[in-house]
Amino acid sequence: MALPVLSSSAVKFRRVLAHFPQELSLAFAYGSGVFRQAGASAEHGETNMLDFVFAVDDAVTWHMMNLLKNRSHYSFLKFFGPKKITTVQRYGAGIYYNTLVPCNGRMIKYGVISTDALIEDLFHWKTLYVAGRLQKPVKILAQNENSKLQAALVSNLKSAVTAAFLMLPESFSEEDLYMQIAGLSYSGDFRMIIGEDKSKVQNIVKPNVAHFQKLYSNILQDCPQVVYKHRLGRLEASIDKSPEGQFTQLMALPKTLQQKITALVNPPGKNRDVEEILLQVAHDPDCGFVVHQGRSGPV
């Protein structure tokens, strides 16, 4: 099952890609410079900074080659060499950004992440930093034949659907689903807050429902809890909210989210296993809210 590649022209993005070492396992462009968003940012779509992420198998070698081609992109760390840059890259979300880089008449920023760190985030939501971006429409510019990476990309999308199902009511619209998915990588429950985060999620989803459909249609068509009528643009969902149904979904969540839910529910001093705690959560009438709390808690 392939991650859908959006069909609109990517020529200008590929021209940017040509400026960099080509040893990439995955390269994608994302954000308001790529996909139209509602609100104030929509007025500046052609001038917004272009955002890229490059996944590389060997970060030290890639940074070494990029320093030869694009030394000016780097901060003072360029004086310490590719090994030091790679060491810094491993902190936090495992991604190193060069920003405010002029390229082909536009300003760009690009993040470099190791393929292994990306796979870890996609499967387990270790930070959900890059995985969260890949739960929303992106423009794939390059992708190699790494089968583990491909499986991780699909797993990330399936996990996003599972988490959204737990946090939504039994019945919901297709737009509700995409709103919930798009809100996963923002802290808190977007339905319960006001201000920037909620508006940001709405601005991402509403103009791009068709792109979300391309990204998730295969998963939704294979989902037994959903009747997905893609040609009619309609989704009919009836999610199993029984304890058994919720337990099955909780057990399918990424490992890091399970651990965070467990930490919320398990009192200090208790030494219960994850399965026992998730079974308790599955019986909780506020199961969806507990998942929200786990998602919005500290990494």
Side-chain angles (χ1 to χ4, degrees), residues 26-46:
L26 181 71
F28 65 89
Y30 67 95
S32 59
V34 183
F35 294 99
R36 187 170 64 88
Q37 293 187 13
S41 63
E43 301 171 10
H44 309 288
E46 289 301 314

Side-chain angles (χ1 to χ4, degrees), residues 164 167-168 176-184 189-191 292:
M167 295 184 282
L168 286 163
D176 288 337
L177 174 63
Y178 300 144
M179 288 278 286
Q180 192 65 260
I181 288 171
L184 284 171
D189 178 356
F190 78 88
R191 296 171 304 167
H292 271 300

Side-chain angles (χ1 to χ4, degrees), residues 1 4 161 165 172-178 181 208-239:
M1 179 180 177
V161 170
F165 282 174
F172 48 84
S173 71
E174 188 172 10
E175 189 173 296
D176 288 337
L177 174 63
Y178 300 144
I181 288 171
N208 294 298
V209 168
H211 293 314
F212 277 92
Q213 287 174 332
K214 288 181 181 180
L215 196 56
Y216 287 97
S217 61
N218 288 340
I219 290 169
L220 295 174
Q221 284 167 357
D222 293 340
C223 180
Q225 299 185 77
V226 168
V227 177
Y228 184 58
K229 300 177 180 178
H230 178 62
R231 289 185 181 178
L232 299 176
R234 192 165 76 244
L235 178 148
E236 296 173 4
S238 182
I239 304 303

